[in-house]
Amino acid sequence: MALKENSPIGVFDSGIGGITVLRELAARFPKENFIYLGDTARLPYGTKSPETIRKYGEQNLNFLIEKGVKAVAIACNSASTQIPEDSYRNIPVFNVIRPGAQMALQVSIDQRIGILGTRATVLSEAYQKAILRQAPNAFVIAEAAPLLVPLAEEGWIDDPVTNLIAYRYVQRLLQSRIDTLILGCTHYPLLKNSLLRAVGSSVTLVDSGAALAVHMSDFVAKNPNAGKHDKIQFYTTDASSNTEKLVKALMPNKEFDFLLADLC
Ligand code: DGL
């Protein structure tokens, strides 16, 4: 499909958690247009095999490319571990891994970096490898924190139960004296307060979505939206009454068209 002057940036996630990444992108690039795809019908990805995640990820890429996007930002960390930053059908693809690793190395004083993510993300070792490629002497430790995803979806933000679970997940990392923690999952920025309380003030949190937005600045500067500004098209693969409410609560100043994607 030929690109137009107002071609949007496509963003996809396994569900609506990727709104934390869309929010960062829309704040950094207010003139850009966006199409979001949340594969809510097949969520979670973090418990699935690399092959399945790759297959779903490629279907999402194809869907967005057929909508005429000028680039794709993979918000989902689990999918980012399986789909490299590259071009797909001649469209540039960005993911959260390298930007998250790079930002962690920038902010870490002692190069002792922890990673929290889904099981798929932790087992892939994508963050670990990205960090060690740039800083072979860095200390890296990862912990899968799958229970945090449903807690965020349930809206248990800053809840005593969430605080307790966050505390338990970071214990091993704190014992290893990390000074930086990568939030390697779309949902975790929603639980930032609990995580901050759990790690204490000596650990810096890195939001991989925010890092991705910084990383895409060059691309957007070279390929700015030269056309009109549209509402954000928000596709999901399953209709849920909760989606609109949550999206509007997290991005109250933006306008959306909520649509169903028939891709499964
Ligand atoms: N979006 C996923 C990620 O960032 C979390 C939810 C899931 O397991 O699909 O890894």
Side-chain angles (χ1 to χ4, degrees):
M1 176 172 289
L3 296 186
K4 293 191 278 203
E5 58 180 8
N6 67 335
S7 288
I9 295 172
V11 181
F12 83 77
D13 181 40
S14 54
I16 55 174
I19 184 110
T20 58
V21 181
L22 178 65
R23 192 170 56 172
E24 297 289 344
L25 291 167
R28 184 165 277 267
F29 311 122
K31 297 203 174 112
E32 291 301 312
N33 288 321
F34 293 95
I35 296 187
Y36 182 92
L37 171 64
D39 191 7
T40 46
R42 300 187 290 197
L43 175 96
Y45 283 11
T47 54
K48 298 197 166 68
S49 68
E51 294 74 25
T52 300
I53 297 172
R54 202 169 311 128
K55 185 174 90 185
Y56 291 175
E58 285 179 1
Q59 287 170 350
N60 297 339
L61 282 175
N62 286 327
F63 175 86
L64 290 170
I65 289 169
E66 260 132 52
K67 295 280 172 215
V69 297
K70 64 182 174 191
V72 176
I74 305 180
C76 180
N77 289 250
S78 307
S80 290
T81 66
Q82 298 307 321
I83 300 183
E85 266 197 328
D86 206 343
S87 64
Y88 186 83
R89 292 171 53 187
N90 292 328
I91 297 293
V93 174
F94 298 89
N95 74 35
V96 288
I97 305 296
R98 196 158 57 96
Q102 245 159 13
M103 190 171 275
L105 284 167
Q106 268 162 27
V107 300
S108 172
I109 292 165
D110 294 328
Q111 312 273 276
R112 299 187 72 83
I113 299 169
I115 301 146
L116 270 191
T118 64
R119 237 171 226 127
T121 295
V122 169
L123 289 176
S124 75
E125 298 191 349
Y127 274 115
Q128 294 92 313
K129 287 179 190 154
I131 292 167
L132 293 173
R133 214 173 292 127
Q134 291 175 58
N137 294 327
F139 171 81
V140 190
I141 180 168
E143 183 79 42
L147 290 178
L148 296 181
V149 170
L151 288 169
E153 294 211 336
E154 196 59 27
W156 288 19
I157 315 278
D158 238 347
D159 183 279
V161 173
T162 307
N163 292 343
L164 199 67
I165 293 174
Y167 184 76
R168 178 150 176 189
Y169 276 137
V170 299
Q171 271 326 290
R172 202 172 56 89
L173 310 184
L174 292 179
Q175 278 158 14
S176 297
R177 293 179 291 107
I178 58 162
D179 68 8
T180 302
L181 178 64
I182 297 178
L183 305 184
C185 173
T186 47
H187 290 61
Y188 300 169
L190 299 171
L191 306 177
K192 215 170 205 164
N193 286 347
S194 293
L195 287 162
L196 269 174
R197 203 168 290 134
V199 294
S201 56
S202 56
V203 176
T204 306
L205 300 186
V206 170
D207 179 336
S208 56
L212 172 63
V214 174
H215 179 67
M216 287 184 70
S217 295
D218 271 359
F219 171 80
V220 175
K222 286 184 194 137
N223 303 276
N225 177 23
K228 70 179 177 54
H229 195 255
D230 299 323
K231 287 183 188 173
I232 296 176
Q233 293 184 19
F234 201 95
Y235 282 92
T236 50
T237 50
D238 187 30
S240 147
S241 55
N242 214 20
T243 302
E244 288 192 30
K245 218 173 83 196
L246 200 83
V247 171
K248 284 179 180 158
L250 289 171
M251 292 179 70
N253 301 322
K254 292 282 173 191
E255 287 191 273
F256 291 90
D257 277 330
F258 291 97
L259 303 148
L260 201 57
D262 185 13
L263 103 167
C264 312

